[in-house]
Amino acid sequence: MTVEERDMKQAGHDRNVDPAVSVGYGLLLRAGFALTYVIYAMLFKLANQHGGSGPVDMLFYRALFALPLVFAWSARRSGIATLIPKSPIAHLCRSALGILAVLFTYESFILLPLPLAVTISFTAPIFATLLSALILHERVALHHWLAVAIGFAGIAIASKPGAANISSGSVAIAMTSAVLQGAVTVTLRRLGRKETAGSIAFWFLVCSLFVGAAAMPSYGHWPDRTGLVLLAVGGVVSALMQVMMTASLQHAPVALLSPIDYSQIVWAALLGLAVFGAMPSAETLLGATLVTASGVMVTWFDRRARRRAEASFVP
């Protein structure tokens, strides 16, 4: 049995579904996740233009409108009992990193053109690779380091501080967001061994709601009616995004799903042009191509390594 056949069989296990159909459904869900992520970013960027909503507002309203939906989905999917945390301290640490990452991400949405903000966000896996080597002491293959170099080159070209009213400070905020997202990825690898995906998402939103509510009196802004609608819809879309991302992993292996995530860059370019009238620069397009190539390269090499390991396995 090949790696692909085994992955498809695992993706469809315990369901009376053809594995090939299950994987196809997983790919469709992942494509939906990629699109909803960009729509969510676009809505929050628009909310900033209507009433001046900032990162704290976005944190609070996202949690406020997404939390009930994520709770209902998690309870129906695996039961309310699975939401009880097994590692409360680990949840708090993950949530603290996640909230910082989200705040910096929202600020990057505000300050940068949408295609560039999304492109820089894809350096998170690069930082996850570096942090895995430093913190988890994982062995990082040569092709991973090559992908890291290509990804950083892509960001250096795409950001090009000083061009198109892009300041080095704005790029630094986006890069800080990517570093924090990479750290979140590392913490999730450990937390995910004990907690369900629903529990992790639920308690992150709970912590976000409390932190956002505490910060609103000092740092929040009351949006106008249009801004409030945009924030509400953005919160609902973010819940849908979370559900599709998690559900896609139930139907298809990560190696097949990961390349689809890079379609976010295409969606960001199209929506950025259609909604904000921002045409991606040649540098952004070239940089995005390099970042995408680095991610696809890692996926391809990892799958080839798995095939070799399976071929050499002697039971």
Side-chain angles (χ1 to χ4, degrees):
M1 181 183 293
T2 66
V3 172
E4 288 81 1
E5 291 170 337
R6 187 195 65 201
D7 287 340
M8 289 169 67
K9 183 176 180 180
Q10 290 176 344
H13 76 91
D14 295 333
R15 292 186 297 274
N16 295 321
V17 179
D18 183 343
V21 174
S22 179
V23 169
Y25 184 54
L27 295 173
L28 184 62
L29 285 169
R30 198 69 175 198
F33 156 71
L35 176 58
T36 51
Y37 177 85
V38 178
I39 292 175
Y40 147 74
M42 177 198 71
L43 289 168
F44 277 14
K45 187 175 181 68
L46 286 171
N48 172 258
Q49 300 176 356
H50 292 273
S53 296
V56 169
D57 306 273
M58 297 173 187
L59 176 74
F60 173 74
Y61 285 108
R62 177 200 178 186
L64 181 66
F65 291 106
L67 185 57
L69 298 176
V70 170
F71 172 78
W73 169 72
S74 300
R76 180 181 179 184
R77 175 172 173 261
S78 51
I80 294 178
T82 61
L83 297 179
I84 300 174
K86 298 181 180 67
S87 306
I89 300 301
H91 273 287
L92 287 175
C93 293
R94 174 268 184 270
S95 295
L97 278 173
I99 288 170
L100 281 174
V102 163
L103 291 173
F104 276 94
T105 299
Y106 291 159
E107 188 67 18
S108 72
F109 289 165
I110 293 170
L111 296 175
L112 295 173
L114 193 59
L116 180 55
V118 171
T119 297
I120 294 179
S121 73
F122 275 101
T123 58
I126 294 175
F127 289 112
T129 296
L130 297 175
L131 292 171
S132 294
L134 294 173
I135 299 174
L136 300 181
H137 305 293
E138 293 182 354
R139 179 180 175 275
V140 180
L142 178 61
H143 65 265
H144 283 98
W145 291 116
L146 180 59
V148 167
I150 293 174
F152 276 131
I155 293 304
I157 294 171
S159 58
K160 196 179 180 182
N165 298 319
I166 298 172
S167 69
S168 56
S170 300
V171 174
I173 287 173
M175 291 294 288
T176 301
S177 167
V179 172
L180 291 169
Q181 289 177 34
V184 168
T185 299
V186 174
T187 61
L188 286 176
R189 288 180 184 174
R190 288 187 172 180
L191 188 59
R193 298 169 187 168
K194 299 179 180 180
E195 306 284 358
T196 64
S199 174
I200 294 171
F202 174 75
W203 288 109
F204 171 67
L205 289 174
V206 169
C207 291
S208 297
L209 185 62
F210 276 102
V211 171
M216 281 292 287
S218 299
Y219 301 100
H221 303 82
W222 184 252
D224 60 18
R225 183 178 301 176
T226 302
L228 184 59
V229 170
L230 289 167
L231 290 169
V233 175
V236 172
V237 170
S238 74
L240 180 62
M241 173 187 74
Q242 180 71 46
V243 169
M244 286 196 291
M245 180 193 68
T246 304
S248 70
L249 295 170
Q250 296 178 296
H251 293 274
V254 174
L256 287 178
L257 298 174
S258 296
I260 297 177
D261 292 349
Y262 290 90
S263 65
Q264 292 176 18
I265 296 175
V266 177
W267 288 119
L270 293 175
L271 289 177
L273 178 60
V275 178
F276 302 103
M279 175 70 74
S281 66
E283 291 84 359
T284 297
L285 293 175
L286 176 58
T289 300
L290 290 175
V291 171
T292 301
S294 70
V296 172
M297 183 178 72
V298 168
T299 300
W300 185 79
F301 273 110
D302 284 350
R303 287 186 64 77
R304 191 175 72 167
R306 290 173 62 198
R307 291 193 191 99
R308 287 179 175 175
E310 185 177 72
S312 62
F313 176 71
V314 178

